Amino acid sequence: MGEEYLEKELLIKGIEINYLYVCKTKLWYFVRGITMEQESDFVDLGKFLHEKSYFGEEKEIQIGSIKIDFIKKSDIIEVHEVKRGKQMEKAHIMQALYYIYYLNNLGIKAKAILHYPKLKEIKEIELKESDKEEINRAIREIEHIKSLKEPPEPIYQKICKNCAYYELCFI
């Protein structure tokens, strides 16, 4: 992988990886600056949960194009992400894997921990070789979606009815 491509892939935001696995249409709107989250009660609930969880931790750590909920330092960097529920767990895992991938590409050894405070659960994530292949495929797909002139056709899922973008997609 050339250095030029490495620089390009490090411009991808973690939320873009997340949205790729949640909804490609939402991703397309988001990368164009069309953000509807400020109108969403579910996003507000998630922010409230994030703010009230894990007191004493420095939150919202910005490193390049990624924004991590909080980190802890041990023998390696622990990336911690706080999530409201597991309904979109695949997207949460891929976002956490991308953060590890991103940090590894900067020469920083890391692992991730997903926190589900409402469920009182945590999940530890480590990057495997097969995960790197999926991350690279996701990066290429995000670049493709960014290049589209029109949004991908929305695919209705159960989560759509609570999505901030629902009206853009289905009304």
Side-chain angles (χ1 to χ4, degrees):
M1 179 179 316
E3 196 169 307
E4 178 183 310
Y5 187 71
L6 180 61
E7 288 175 14
K8 186 177 180 182
E9 65 187 5
L10 293 183
L11 294 176
I12 300 292
K13 295 178 173 108
I15 194 69
E16 293 171 356
I17 295 285
N18 184 299
Y19 284 179
L20 176 68
Y21 288 89
V22 171
C23 175
K24 293 172 177 62
T25 308
K26 181 177 185 172
L27 170 63
W28 187 89
Y29 284 122
F30 177 80
V31 299
R32 282 171 174 63
I34 302 169
T35 56
M36 306 295 288
E37 283 86 358
Q38 66 274 12
E39 307 294 324
S40 171
D41 292 338
F42 288 100
V43 171
D44 288 343
L45 179 60
K47 285 180 182 177
F48 176 78
L49 186 64
H50 179 264
E51 289 169 9
K52 297 301 175 197
S53 300
Y54 309 99
F55 292 107
E57 303 297 340
E58 183 179 347
K59 296 185 177 123
E60 303 258 321
I61 310 299
Q62 183 85 38
I63 302 170
S65 65
I66 63 172
K67 190 184 291 186
I68 298 166
D69 287 350
F70 67 94
I71 62 172
K72 287 186 177 179
K73 298 173 190 163
S74 59
D75 55 331
I76 66 173
I77 296 294
E78 290 180 358
V79 172
H80 292 260
E81 282 292 302
V82 180
K83 302 298 182 184
R84 191 170 56 88
K86 289 177 127 180
Q87 190 173 16
M88 295 174 276
E89 187 175 33
K90 173 70 173 179
H92 303 158
I93 291 168
M94 293 310 300
Q95 182 179 8
L97 286 168
Y98 178 69
Y99 290 160
I100 300 168
Y101 173 88
Y102 187 102
L103 293 170
N104 286 180
N105 279 316
L106 295 176
I108 301 167
K109 192 171 179 182
K111 68 178 180 180
I113 305 200
L114 293 175
H115 296 264
Y116 298 98
K118 283 178 64 180
L119 305 172
K120 296 180 174 53
E121 290 183 29
I122 64 167
K123 183 175 190 125
E124 194 166 312
I125 310 287
E126 294 196 27
L127 185 66
K128 298 184 227 57
E129 202 58 41
S130 59
D131 298 325
K132 292 177 186 177
E133 294 168 16
E134 186 166 358
I135 300 259
N136 284 318
R137 185 202 58 75
I139 290 166
R140 287 190 301 275
E141 190 168 356
I142 290 168
E143 290 300 327
H144 170 72
I145 290 169
K146 285 180 173 184
S147 74
L148 296 175
K149 300 279 186 231
E150 295 181 5
E153 192 67 33
I155 299 168
Y156 188 82
Q157 308 170 63
K158 284 195 286 186
I159 61 171
C160 292
K161 65 181 182 272
N162 296 321
C163 178
Y165 292 80
Y166 181 83
E167 290 184 17
L168 282 175
C169 294
F170 298 107
I171 295 181

